[in-house]
Amino acid sequence: MITPKLLEQNQLAIKKAEGYTKKRFIFSDLLHSFSSNKAFHALVGPRGVGKTILLLQIGLQVKDSFYLSMDQLAPDTDLFSLVKNLVHDYKVKIVLIDEIHFCKNFEQSLKALNDFLDIKVFVTSSASLALKDMAIDLSRRLKIIYLH
């Protein structure tokens, strides 16, 4: 369920992106990736390389997007239901999920999002092994982009 707190966090996060006017070289490639066959992208790299800022800049640029920070939600949050609600009730077309590894069973959620919803997804993780060693094969569904 989308709470006022989630709506406020999204607005505050996108507002914060206004302070980051300098774009990384990969930013335009990420924007163009929305037209690719792969609807899901993962930005992976160590803390402090700019994964979150890239997500926020995308959110600022793309109007039908929504930013979620999984480290601010309960670990057992039903990500599929949350995103389904965003798509159906708020007409979100792109969901930006920061720190996906904080979500319990995120692999299953990402697979279900890909299989059942018409949505583009960007996720970040500073725990690259969490994405590389997934129990569920997302290789056909998820393009991993390593940031250094």
Side-chain angles (χ1 to χ4, degrees):
M1 180 161 149
I2 306 304
T3 64
K5 181 180 175 183
L6 273 180
L7 294 171
E8 180 183 23
Q9 285 177 346
N10 174 62
Q11 290 173 336
L12 290 172
I14 300 307
K15 180 82 173 153
K16 182 178 178 180
E18 293 172 357
Y20 298 102
T21 55
K22 188 174 180 180
K23 306 277 192 301
R24 287 187 63 148
F25 67 93
I26 196 168
F27 180 76
S28 60
D29 292 339
L30 293 175
L31 283 181
H32 292 297
S33 69
F34 295 127
S35 60
S36 73
N37 291 339
K38 291 206 182 222
F40 287 45
H41 293 77
L43 301 176
V44 177
R47 296 186 188 281
V49 297
K51 300 177 299 291
T52 298
I53 291 171
L54 277 168
L55 277 192
L56 296 178
Q57 289 174 327
I58 291 169
L60 185 63
Q61 186 83 25
V62 180
K63 296 301 173 205
D64 296 330
S65 64
F66 197 93
Y67 173 83
L68 294 168
S69 182
M70 294 310 297
D71 61 349
Q72 298 297 311
L73 299 172
D76 60 346
T77 296
D78 182 351
L79 184 59
F80 178 81
S81 295
L82 181 62
V83 173
K84 183 175 132 188
N85 187 249
L86 286 169
V87 169
H88 291 153
D89 296 343
Y90 294 87
K91 309 302 181 219
V92 169
K93 304 232 185 303
I94 298 169
V95 66
L96 310 165
I97 306 171
D98 204 6
E99 302 292 356
I100 189 72
H101 58 276
F102 280 97
C103 180
K104 185 177 180 184
N105 299 321
F106 71 87
E107 304 98 328
Q108 292 170 328
S109 296
L110 288 176
K111 182 181 182 312
L113 290 172
N114 183 269
D115 291 350
F116 301 113
L117 296 178
D118 184 21
I119 185 84
K120 301 263 185 189
V121 175
F122 269 94
V123 301
T124 71
S125 178
S126 54
S128 61
L129 288 178
L131 291 175
K132 286 176 81 174
D133 298 334
M134 291 181 279
I136 295 174
D137 179 23
L138 293 174
S139 61
R140 294 183 327 272
R141 298 173 178 92
L142 183 71
K143 179 179 180 183
I144 298 177
I145 301 164
Y146 295 96
L147 298 178
H148 306 282

